[in-house]
Amino acid sequence: MKAFITKFFTSSLFRFLLIGGLSFLVDLGLLALCFQVFGWPLWLATGAGFWGSFFFNYFLQRHFAFGGGGTALGGVLRYSVLLVFNTLAVMGIVELFQFLGAGYVIGKVVATAVTMGWNYFIYKHWIFPHKKPVPDAGHKSGGVSETDTPPQNLTPKSSEG
């Protein structure tokens, strides 16, 4: 059990969830500030909060959770595409919960849970992918490759002796 707990706390999933939780606080704080203090329409305040946490979340996810996988420019472009999709999904969910009378905070929590469900896999495999290293054909790794033949053990008792 201890090994499982240690493995979880050092996993990209744990780091993803931790950063996601902190990003959620930034996001919700900006949403509440824009909606309650500045009086913006809910849909605009929701989008502002979501986009406001963009740089915080992207930088930490890239470097802390997923170890800088993928190219920086490619990651930003893919992340931006996902961000547009997630923004529309979150705005719709928050508005729906507000319309139903549950409130925008409950809607924001539900929207965050829904998007985090698919975001981890998208981050890991599409936005910050780690490419498997291609073995260098001219470099011998010390192991046996497909073209190597295992060494022959020729002893007096062998059939080839």
Side-chain angles (χ1 to χ4, degrees):
M1 183 66 164
K2 185 179 178 182
F4 172 77
I5 292 170
T6 301
K7 186 175 181 178
F8 175 73
F9 281 114
T10 59
S11 71
S12 63
L13 177 60
F14 174 74
R15 293 186 304 260
F16 168 80
L17 293 172
L18 179 65
I19 293 165
L22 294 173
S23 295
F24 174 78
L25 293 176
V26 169
D27 187 346
L28 183 61
L30 289 171
L31 165 59
L33 179 72
C34 293
F35 183 61
Q36 292 183 323
V37 176
F38 299 144
W40 293 8
L42 182 59
W43 67 268
L44 184 59
T46 301
F50 198 73
W51 279 83
S53 64
F54 170 86
F55 293 107
F56 175 81
N57 189 47
Y58 176 80
F59 179 79
L60 289 178
Q61 293 292 6
R62 176 173 167 72
H63 295 287
F64 181 64
F66 296 100
T71 63
L73 179 58
V76 167
L77 294 175
R78 289 185 298 272
Y79 186 84
S80 297
V81 169
L82 179 62
L83 189 64
V84 169
F85 177 79
N86 283 342
T87 300
L88 296 174
V90 168
M91 287 169 42
I93 293 168
V94 170
E95 283 284 347
L96 175 66
F97 274 76
Q98 182 74 2
F99 175 77
L100 295 174
Y104 73 91
V105 174
I106 299 297
K108 183 63 184 171
V109 170
V110 170
T112 299
V114 168
T115 57
M116 282 183 82
W118 64 63
N119 280 349
Y120 176 73
F121 297 100
I122 293 171
Y123 283 15
K124 186 171 184 172
H125 299 290
W126 187 54
I127 295 177
F128 307 118
H130 279 281
K131 303 283 187 213
K132 299 214 186 315
V134 178
D136 183 8
H139 179 268
K140 192 160 184 160
S141 64
V144 177
S145 74
E146 294 175 9
T147 58
D148 290 341
T149 56
Q152 298 292 320
N153 186 7
L154 301 176
T155 64
K157 292 183 180 178
S158 75
S159 62
E160 298 177 77

